[in-house]
């Protein structure tokens, strides 16, 4: 859908009516996945509970297992033996292996079924080898059992998975709390009566009363009253937003000091809030390439562990060592090669970055795109509503006669314009009200098709018209009305005599220059593609110092622009409103949808900015880089530990044979370091 074109408007001032407003066609997109998402969410909560239970039971059983293990007794310098102690040790370890280790054994089966061995395979192989070997020792094989190693491995991995799942779930906690914060009752207006009903009984088109300081129970439109709403929890907008008749309100926002009546437009699953929650859940489920990298690393470690274990066994037997020694070395290698840290390296970073990003108004639907934000070399902006406010603001107005001053001129024009829904009209009325001007009563109001509007005020005939009307009626356009800036100009006539003009333009957002500067510092090429006319596009581009601009482009042409940049070797990000820019968002390497309200549900974007703030685009790139760096650091640490521990565990390096006990300490330490490093991301992203 093409954005409105200012040149076009100059000749056809009120032709489009309210069509000229940006389309919000994603507003009617329903969220039929919500029930499924909710089910998924409950399942996730049950899994967390399951891991927690398995962890605590396994931990309790681990204490006597450690006390009965000879290696731990030697390490701590005590002795605890009694008749059949090895069988008690075997029995307790068997419970931990099958009960605590079940998620990993099941995971091994699932991964092998998918022909995609990964983290679960690695853990399952390590615990199975340790269990089978140790059981054989109990029943006659020469050697030392690994039961204590087996159970600590299971306990630490259960703890890791429990923490990981809790933190992943925590990313949507802020949004879930919003759902709980939704009021349970609504005041339904029925004629003169007000009836309190449950929120889930609300239907679209219902009129509801929201009293002072109450929460809005559903998305809708104000039909009566005026108030300031606190939307900060939903959109991140810190200032209360003024809402009056015709304005949209979001369920979950908090009303200010005045009561208002609202017509319900969306309830339940269709509401903005539900869509936001769905997006966050999608973000958590979407596996990025880097996340898969953790699984790829685990797969290779599985092959390396099995390979290294086999080589160790065969080599020691060839070198004439007894079978029990060779087997012990093999098991040590295979158990040590299971890095707890690798299991936590990526998921913790993912969980933290998703949560912090959501709190900053960045909803990540596609993690790969988020991490790839660091690669962006060219950014293409849509203009209206992204770099600019997307609303017509009065830039200047002048009277051309001594009889009426400029303020009076504005008051007369606004009196006429308040009858119109057009964005230009709204811009004029807004500035007149802000100036505290008194608007007058209009009679015989009439819209002049494609030319403007007219009406009688105090018995005199007033018109607000386009330049086209002046040309048709041979009225000269005054010099003062000419401008190089990207302005739309309307003229005020009194009894067919030109007495003044009002210039309007789509104002550049105050955050845009700083955001452009930040992105340029990152070495990006910055372009703008807009449906607006050449003059407007050039004015905005020059003011912001962009590398280039494209004016009067249709949606399919935006796609061509992105393809062209990609052919030139750029990694391209596109920012737009997510609806009329959908084709370009889909084509871009990273698609960023901007715009609060239900536009947030735009399906083609990878990342959604809750506020239409260009500053957030700069944050996105910085966050993406910080997240990726942390992932790489954690992967390097987790795999680096293995690179050192594995050769030592084989026993081939004289004088440097790592005991299973030392191996376990290293492993635990490695996990703690990875977890702490992931937490540091919060500080980096908040700074």
């Amino acid at each position: 859908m093409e954005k409105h074109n200012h040149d076009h408007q100059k000749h056809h001032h009120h032709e489009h009516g309210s069509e000229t407003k940006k389309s919000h066609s994603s507003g009617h997109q329903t969220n039929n996945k919500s029930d499924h998402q909710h089910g998924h969410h409950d399942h996730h909560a049950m899994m967390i509970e399951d891991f927690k239970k398995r962890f605590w039971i396994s931990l309790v059983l681990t204490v006597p297992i450690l006390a009965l293990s000879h290696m731990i007794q030697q390490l701590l310098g005590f002795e605890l033996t009694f008749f059949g102690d090895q069988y008690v040790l075997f029995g307790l370890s068997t419970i931990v292996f099958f009960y605590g280790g079940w998620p990993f054994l099941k995971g091994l089966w699932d991964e092998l079924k998918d022909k995609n061995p990964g983290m679960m395979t690695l853990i399952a192989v390590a615990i199975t080898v340790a269990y089978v070997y140790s059981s054989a020792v109990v029943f006659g094989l020469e050697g030392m059992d690994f039961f204590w190693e087996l159970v600590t491995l299971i306990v630490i991995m259960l703890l890791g998975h429990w923490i990981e799942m809790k933190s992943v779930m925590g990313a949507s906690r802020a949004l879930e709390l919003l759902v709980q914060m939704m009021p349970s009752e609504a005041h339904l207006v029925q004629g003169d009566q007000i009836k309190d009903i449950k929120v889930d009984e609300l239907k679209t088109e219902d009129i509801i009363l929201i009293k002072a300081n109450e929460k809005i129970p559903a998305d809708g439109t104000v039909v009566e009253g005026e108030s300031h709403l606190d939307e900060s929890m939903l959109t991140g907008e810190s200032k209360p937003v003024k809402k009056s008749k015709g304005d949209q309100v979001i369920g979950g926002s908090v009303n200010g000091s005045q009561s208002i009546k609202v017509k319900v437009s969306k309830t339940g699953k269709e509401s903005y809030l539900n869509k936001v929650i769905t997006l966050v859940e999608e973000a958590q489920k979407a596996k990025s390439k880097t996340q898969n990298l953790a699984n790829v690393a685990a797969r290779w470690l599985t092959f390396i562990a099995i390979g290294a274990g086999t080589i160790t066994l065969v080599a020691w037997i060839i070198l004439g060592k007894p079978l029990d020694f060779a087997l012990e070395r093999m098991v040590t290698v295979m158990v040590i090669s299971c890095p707890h840290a690798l299991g936590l390296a990526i998921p913790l970073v993912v969980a933290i970055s998703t949560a912090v990003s959501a709190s900053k108004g960045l909803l990540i639907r596609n993690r790969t795109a988020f991490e790839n934000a660091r690669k962006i070399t060219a950014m293409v902006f849509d203009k209206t509503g992204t770099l600019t406010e997307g609303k017509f603001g009065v830039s200047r107005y002048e009277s051309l006669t001594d009889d009426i001053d400029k303020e009076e001129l504005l008051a007369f024009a606004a009196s006429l314009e308040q009858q119109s829904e057009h964005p230009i009209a709204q811009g004029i009325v807004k500035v007149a009200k802000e100036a505290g001007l008194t608007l007058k009563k209009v009679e015989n109001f009439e819209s002049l098709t494609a030319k403007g509007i007219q009406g009688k005020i105090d018995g005199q005939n007033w018109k607000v018209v386009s330049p086209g009307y002046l040309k048709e009626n041979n009225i000269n356009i005054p010099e003062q009305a000419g401008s190089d800036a990207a302005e739309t100009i309307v003229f005020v006539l009194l009894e067919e005599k030109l007495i003044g003009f009002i210039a309007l333009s789509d104002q550049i957002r105050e955050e845009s220059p700083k955001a452009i500067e930040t992105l340029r510092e990152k070495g990006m090429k910055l372009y703008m593609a807009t449906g607006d006319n050449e003059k407007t596009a050039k004015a905005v581009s020059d003011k912001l110092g962009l590398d280039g601009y494209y004016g009067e482009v249709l949606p399919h042409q935006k796609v061509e622009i992105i393809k062209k940049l990609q052919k030139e070797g750029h990694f391209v990000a596109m920012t737009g409103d997510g609806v009329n820019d959908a084709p370009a968002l889909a084509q871009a390497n990273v698609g960023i949808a901007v715009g609060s309200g239900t536009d947030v549900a735009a399906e083609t974007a990878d990342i959604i900015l809750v506020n239409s703030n260009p500053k957030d685009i700069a944050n996105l790139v910085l966050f993406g880089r910080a997240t990726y760096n942390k992932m790489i650091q954690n992967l390097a640490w987790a795999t680096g530990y293995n690179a050192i521990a594995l050769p030592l565990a084989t026993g081939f390096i004289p004088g440097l044979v790592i005991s299973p006990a030392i191996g376990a300490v290293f492993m635990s330490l490695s996990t703690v370091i990875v977890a702490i490093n992931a937490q540091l991301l919060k500080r980096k992203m908040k700074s």
Side-chain angles (χ1 to χ4, degrees), residues 310-364:
T310 308
I311 291 165
T312 304
L313 175 72
V314 172
W316 281 123
I317 289 171
I318 291 169
L319 290 168
K321 288 283 183 181
L323 179 66
D324 56 348
F325 176 85
L327 276 173
E328 187 187 74
R329 283 295 107 205
M330 178 193 86
V331 175
T332 306
V333 165
M334 293 182 76
V335 172
I336 273 178
S337 66
C338 176
H340 304 46
L342 191 63
L344 286 175
I346 302 300
L348 273 176
V349 176
V350 167
I352 290 161
S353 70
T354 306
V356 176
S357 299
S359 72
K360 297 264 187 183
L362 287 170
L363 300 177
I364 300 154

Side-chain angles (χ1 to χ4, degrees), residues 116-169:
N116 190 19
M119 192 60 64
M120 292 300 189
T121 308
L122 184 58
I123 300 164
V125 165
I127 63 174
T128 305
V129 166
Y131 177 72
V132 171
Y133 173 78
S134 303
S135 302
V137 168
V138 170
F139 294 103
L141 181 74
E142 278 296 314
M144 194 171 269
D145 66 73
F146 276 86
F147 285 131
W148 73 274
E149 178 82 341
L150 160 75
V151 295
T152 51
L153 182 55
I154 287 173
V155 165
I156 289 175
M157 286 323 256
L158 283 171
L159 176 65
H161 278 71
W162 174 31
I163 289 171
E164 174 199 328
M165 291 169 82
K166 258 178 70 178
S167 57
V168 167
M169 202 170 178

Side-chain angles (χ1 to χ4, degrees), residues 425-502:
Q426 290 173 347
I428 293 171
V429 173
K430 184 170 176 271
V431 79
K433 283 185 174 171
E434 282 169 0
L437 302 176
T438 308
L439 302 190
K440 302 175 182 300
K441 192 181 175 196
V442 178
E443 293 171 335
N444 303 345
F445 175 81
E446 191 186 341
S447 179
L448 307 168
T449 309
K451 312 272 172 43
I453 51 174
Q454 67 176 2
K456 286 204 161 168
I457 302 173
D458 300 336
Q460 292 181 298
N461 193 32
W462 288 81
K463 284 190 176 82
V464 179
V465 294
S466 66
Y469 182 91
L470 298 193
K471 283 178 189 162
E472 275 180 29
N473 291 276
N474 298 318
I475 300 170
N476 291 328
I477 295 174
E479 258 182 57
Q480 303 98 299
S483 163
D484 290 336
E487 292 179 321
T488 295
I489 298 179
V490 293
F491 297 90
V492 184
L493 305 181
L494 172 59
E495 301 294 355
E496 293 301 312
K497 183 189 169 205
L498 177 62
I499 61 159
F501 65 88
I502 300 168

Side-chain angles (χ1 to χ4, degrees), residues 392 394 410-411 413-420 422-437 439 502 504:
F392 278 99
V394 172
L410 183 65
S415 302
L416 267 185
E417 293 284 18
Q418 70 181 333
Q419 314 287 322
S420 169
H422 196 279
I424 287 176
Q426 290 173 347
I428 293 171
V429 173
K430 184 170 176 271
V431 79
K433 283 185 174 171
E434 282 169 0
L437 302 176
L439 302 190
I502 300 168
L504 303 98

Side-chain angles (χ1 to χ4, degrees), residues 266-316:
K266 289 186 180 65
T267 60
K269 288 183 289 195
E270 287 183 31
S271 72
Y272 166 78
L273 198 55
N274 254 302
K275 289 185 176 173
V276 171
I277 287 163
T278 304
L279 289 171
V280 173
E281 287 188 341
E282 280 177 22
Q284 291 161 356
K285 286 195 297 181
K287 277 210 155 190
S288 71
K289 280 181 182 165
T290 319
Q291 255 186 298
N292 289 337
L293 186 60
N295 261 327
V296 170
R299 183 184 314 154
W300 281 108
L301 275 171
T302 308
F303 298 149
I304 290 165
I306 294 168
T310 308
I311 291 165
T312 304
L313 175 72
V314 172
W316 281 123

Side-chain angles (χ1 to χ4, degrees), residues 98-126:
F98 284 107
Y99 178 70
W102 176 248
F104 309 112
L105 297 170
K106 184 177 175 293
L108 163 77
W109 174 250
D110 292 340
E111 286 183 353
L112 292 180
K113 211 164 55 180
D114 294 340
K115 297 189 179 69
N116 190 19
M119 192 60 64
M120 292 300 189
T121 308
L122 184 58
I123 300 164
V125 165

